[in-house]
Amino acid sequence: MRNILLQSLLRGPLTERHPATDATAAAELAEALGRSARNRLGRSLAIREVDAGSCNGCELEIHALGNAYYDLERFGLRFVASPRHADVLLVTGPVTRNMRDALWRTYQAVPAPKWVIAAGDCARDGGCFSGSYACVGGVAEVIPVDLHIAGCPPTPTALLQGLLALLESAH
Amino acid sequence: MSVLLESLGAGRVVEAHKPVPRVVVDDDLWRSVASRIGASELTLLGLWGDIAAVHMAVLDESEPSVVVVTRQCPHGRFPSVGKVHPPAIRLERAIRDLFGLEPDGLPDPRPWLDHGRWDVESPLAPRPQRPSERAPTRFLTAEGDGLHQIPVGPVHAGIIEPGHFRFTANGEAVVRLEERLGYTHKGIEWLMQDAPIERAARLAARTSGDSTVATSLAFARAVEAALGIDVPPRAVWLRALMAELERLANHFGDIGAICNDAAFALMHAHCGVLRENVLRASDALLGHRLMMDRVVPGGVAVEPTLAGFAQLEDFLSATEKTFPRLVELYDNTASLQDRTVGTGIVAPALASQFGCGGYVGRASDRSFDARRTLAYPPYGELSFEVPVLDEGDVNARVWIRIREVEQSLSLVHQILERLPRHGALSVPCVATGKTCEGLAIVEGFRGDVLASVRLDRHAHVERCHLRDPSWFQWPVLEAAIESNIVADFPLCNKSFNCSYSGHDL
């Protein structure tokens, strides 16, 4: 273990060194996001993720925000375990009827001021599941949405962009 | 003719079903197949509803051979398989919810996918009903001094899918866990009815996002079998490449996440980097990080890029250096093994009874891998091992995944060597002018995915059923956690990593 730790220390952070344009864009975005998050929320923005019936593709990419390339937490943005600790609800999925109540109650549990991001094409209008007897079809049908992030699923870069856009538009 | 098919001699073989036979049987033969499954002579691969019929896919592991057995239900009833074979119970509860068909003698008649929130009852039946009043869900009971219940979900504390877990605990020890699923039920099978193949393929790709390649491949192979289409060799190899990349990405992510649930963040961080590298290489190669909609009926949708192959080669050589060090780290960290060894044991008998696929089965002595046992192309031409252990604990499931990563890395090398660099990537799916049926079984990272498709004469989907491996893994998780401490549940759960969406459909 010591070797791995030592190597990681000597190597420096992956975020900085990755040459691909995507990573560079992510790093720029991430820097801007860090500034505005600090201005508005004093270094801290707590996000509660709710899967309202997604295929789990969106969850995989939201998870990726935590890896060494994107490292969301360095900006004070972090995922929290309870809606009562959250500033932002990040909702995915076409909102199945079986999840409608749970989503509504989770929203109610978030203290104001609060924002809602609907992530992924399903969360906008049900995506390819719209019209089903089992789906409500879009997060905005159940709770007020401040921002949609497109993509099936949205890439981690798109998700970072979305968080930035939210911060820019939040009062 | 297989021994399994011979034993069904009294039934009527349906010619339009490819590539394995489908046999329409009477009550007696249906019951006899069910009891042979119950006696572990045969393995249940799937059980699904249809208009006035039920189908059951069975595997004879000794030959190996697969047959679909059909029982017509003109009166809306059929003899319950769950009565003699408990793994079928949830499947029959789902059939009841979706088609309104009544399994006679079903031991647990509570609804499963239908939570009483839909505007219809039996939505896939020819004549769906208005929903009726129903009593709130009863959970199974556990009685005794000092027992308490812990309800968890459907909204969980992490970034995971929704489902409800009802624990009954005695102090720290779990006495009973009951799962309640169906929260992510999107009506995929209903949406697929009468859909053109392309639309149905998009739905199949979104059945379970982490298995999008595997599910798309199962759907595509079922459609191709039904239509009698041979896909170009280049597509066959490219599909296998995608399947192995998906397996690698998921195994990397989950090995790290399991360690993270034992509070060992270092593995999680390093495995997260490996996973991201696979996704980036996949994106460079085929233009989508999860390779969604890249496998389509008829072949592969997108031409791979040269830059993508180069990135893939870089990824391979880097990973072959870093991964062994992580394996060593896992193996040498006693505090981590203290959590994983002996935790969440699945007895081999249970894995075999439930026909658990993937690492859940293979960590509990069930040597089944569709790539080997059913050897669909191109796996018959590739050399790889199917690792099997018999301890059945979290540690064994981690080791199976580690060994599978090694095998998949070798498979990716072999595939890259054999992959034709030029040639067609797909052929059109042309309607045959008559009803046709196909079945396919594909090994996803989690286990075997089964797809059954019936197409009408215009090659629109009449009925499609996708059976995720999770159907036969979720129930076993309830057994694995028994008498473990509540705090070890996340660890056990992650070592299974069953799909909610793939199960709920």
Side-chain angles (χ1 to χ4, degrees):
Chain A
M1 182 172 10
R2 248 176 273 145
N3 284 342
I4 291 182
L5 287 172
L6 196 63
Q7 277 165 3
S8 302
L9 273 175
L10 295 175
R11 190 178 52 196
L14 279 169
T15 321
E16 302 298 322
R17 288 190 38 172
H18 202 277
T21 37
D22 252 17
T24 319
E28 283 169 17
L29 246 170
E31 198 189 326
L33 185 55
R35 269 202 308 276
S36 37
R38 270 194 288 280
N39 287 345
R40 292 181 197 281
L41 291 144
R43 287 184 168 274
S44 169
L45 180 59
I47 307 164
R48 170 66 249 192
E49 200 269 346
V50 180
D51 176 338
S54 90
C55 74
N56 79 34
C58 290
E59 278 62 39
L60 295 174
E61 295 297 55
I62 292 169
H63 255 295
L65 288 174
N67 75 32
Y69 288 102
Y70 303 104
D71 190 17
L72 191 71
E73 293 214 4
R74 67 191 146 141
F75 314 116
L77 297 167
R78 66 192 200 287
F79 289 100
V80 291
S82 166
R84 297 198 190 282
H85 305 156
D87 306 302
V88 174
L89 272 192
L90 180 59
V91 189
T92 64
V95 191
T96 60
R97 288 182 185 268
N98 288 349
M99 270 306 284
R100 184 189 187 133
D101 266 13
L103 174 60
W104 172 249
R105 288 168 68 177
T106 307
Y107 177 74
Q108 294 299 314
V110 179
K114 55 187 165 187
W115 295 273
V116 175
I117 303 178
D121 293 347
C122 297
R124 172 180 284 277
D125 58 3
C128 62
F129 305 110
S130 73
S132 164
Y133 64 89
C135 295
V136 178
V139 176
E141 300 282 324
V142 184
I143 55 176
V145 173
D146 297 287
L147 179 82
H148 291 96
I149 301 175
C152 186
T155 60
T157 310
L159 288 163
L160 271 179
Q161 267 164 339
L163 286 167
L164 175 68
L166 177 83
L167 285 163
E168 294 299 323
S169 64
H171 52 84
Chain B
M1 187 188 276
S2 66
V3 179
L4 172 58
L5 186 58
E6 265 176 45
S7 70
L8 300 167
R12 175 173 60 84
V13 177
V14 177
E15 295 298 331
H17 194 275
K18 300 282 186 265
V20 300
R22 180 163 79 83
V23 186
V24 182
V25 300
D26 60 10
D27 261 8
D28 288 345
L29 210 45
W30 177 268
R31 283 203 183 89
S32 116
V33 174
S35 59
R36 286 176 69 193
I37 296 170
S40 298
E41 282 174 44
L42 302 172
T43 305
L44 182 69
L45 284 179
L47 176 61
W48 64 99
D50 203 336
I51 304 297
V54 281
H55 309 285
M56 139 166 96
V58 289
L59 166 74
D60 184 343
E61 293 192 47
S62 61
E63 290 187 298
S65 63
V66 176
V67 169
V68 177
V69 182
T70 300
R71 161 75 164 69
Q72 308 281 12
C73 323
H75 306 296
R77 317 186 76 83
F78 65 97
S80 165
V81 179
K83 191 178 169 187
V84 290
H85 185 58
I89 292 175
R90 286 182 180 177
L91 294 157
E92 290 185 336
R93 288 166 73 184
I95 291 173
R96 206 163 161 265
D97 287 350
L98 298 179
F99 285 90
L101 299 169
E102 195 60 43
D104 281 322
L106 174 64
D108 183 351
R110 294 174 300 165
W112 182 238
L113 299 177
D114 185 350
H115 292 191
R117 305 298 173 102
W118 307 336
D119 291 337
V120 291
E121 210 166 84
S122 328
L124 276 83
R127 273 183 294 279
Q129 306 290 314
R130 303 281 305 165
S132 50
E133 278 298 309
R134 66 171 61 183
T137 306
R138 272 180 307 105
F139 284 94
L140 300 176
T141 54
E143 287 170 13
D145 284 342
L147 296 187
H148 61 285
Q149 280 201 345
I150 310 171
V152 179
V155 178
H156 296 297
I159 305 167
I160 54 170
E161 300 180 78
H164 182 85
F165 299 113
R166 184 63 61 104
F167 295 94
T168 305
N170 185 359
E172 275 294 297
V174 177
V175 175
R176 164 169 255 168
L177 163 64
E178 188 179 3
E179 297 153 358
R180 188 184 187 213
L181 303 174
Y183 289 94
T184 72
H185 178 76
K186 294 179 268 294
I188 290 177
E189 297 191 332
W190 182 84
L191 287 162
M192 279 190 171
Q193 286 182 346
D194 301 322
I197 289 176
E198 299 75 30
R199 174 164 155 70
R202 283 182 62 81
L203 287 162
R206 285 152 185 81
T207 301
S208 182
D210 52 16
S211 303
T212 177
V213 172
T215 317
S216 294
L217 184 54
F219 176 77
R221 287 183 54 80
V223 168
E224 289 150 10
L227 295 174
I229 291 175
D230 283 325
V231 301
R234 190 153 170 252
V236 171
W237 288 96
L238 202 52
R239 284 171 167 194
L241 178 64
M242 286 189 239
E244 295 312 316
L245 289 176
E246 180 174 84
R247 198 179 323 278
L248 282 170
N250 283 300
H251 281 347
F252 285 140
D254 286 351
I255 292 169
I258 293 167
C259 297
N260 197 45
D261 277 341
F264 194 64
L266 186 61
M267 276 290 278
H268 183 51
H270 283 272
C271 288
V273 169
L274 292 180
R275 177 183 160 82
E276 180 70 18
N277 290 345
V278 181
L279 300 189
R280 288 181 176 200
S282 307
D283 191 23
L285 189 67
L286 292 151
H288 194 287
R289 287 162 54 90
L290 305 179
M291 296 170 286
M292 217 170 235
D293 302 323
R294 269 39 187 177
V295 176
V296 292
V300 170
V302 174
E303 183 72 32
T305 65
L306 286 177
F309 283 117
Q311 193 165 336
L312 194 53
E313 297 281 1
D314 290 347
F315 155 76
L316 283 175
S317 51
T319 306
E320 274 152 10
K321 286 195 201 79
T322 50
F323 189 64
R325 290 207 289 264
L326 295 179
V327 177
E328 206 184 308
L329 177 62
Y330 177 78
D331 203 15
N332 291 340
T333 306
S335 61
L336 180 56
Q337 304 242 322
D338 182 45
R339 296 289 306 278
T340 58
V341 175
T343 306
I345 294 173
V346 176
L350 203 60
S352 149
Q353 183 192 11
F354 276 76
C356 295
Y359 42 81
V360 176
R362 293 194 280 273
S364 294
D365 208 26
R366 180 169 185 257
S367 171
F368 176 84
D369 184 320
R371 295 174 296 171
R372 165 61 44 79
T373 312
L374 305 172
Y376 55 93
Y379 289 101
E381 299 174 49
L382 293 165
S383 120
F384 63 102
E385 283 166 24
V386 177
V388 177
L389 294 168
D390 59 9
E391 288 89 349
D393 55 0
V394 172
N395 183 51
R397 287 188 283 278
V398 172
W399 276 110
I400 293 287
R401 283 168 175 256
I402 289 172
R403 295 289 170 245
E404 287 185 16
V405 164
E406 293 162 358
Q407 293 302 315
S408 286
L409 288 171
S410 145
L411 281 169
V412 169
H413 273 300
Q414 295 177 49
I415 294 166
L416 286 175
E417 269 168 33
R418 308 276 296 272
L419 177 72
R421 295 289 148 161
H422 305 285
L425 276 178
S426 67
V427 290
C429 291
V430 186
T432 55
K434 54 189 176 199
T435 303
C436 52
E437 307 174 348
L439 181 103
I441 298 161
V442 160
E443 189 73 17
F445 89 94
R446 186 179 277 123
D448 49 303
V449 179
L450 176 142
S452 160
V453 174
R454 183 171 69 244
L455 303 172
D456 68 12
R457 58 199 175 90
H458 307 296
H460 283 204
V461 174
E462 220 172 72
R463 170 87 182 105
C464 174
H465 173 69
L466 300 166
R467 197 270 300 141
D468 190 89
S470 309
W471 277 100
F472 299 124
Q473 296 169 341
W474 273 121
V476 177
L477 178 61
E478 289 183 352
I481 190 63
E482 210 179 296
S483 75
N484 284 253
I485 61 172
V486 176
D488 274 345
F489 179 70
L491 195 58
C492 292
N493 192 22
K494 198 69 215 177
S495 77
F496 274 65
N497 193 19
C498 300
S499 174
Y500 298 71
S501 182
H503 165 282
D504 294 349
L505 282 176

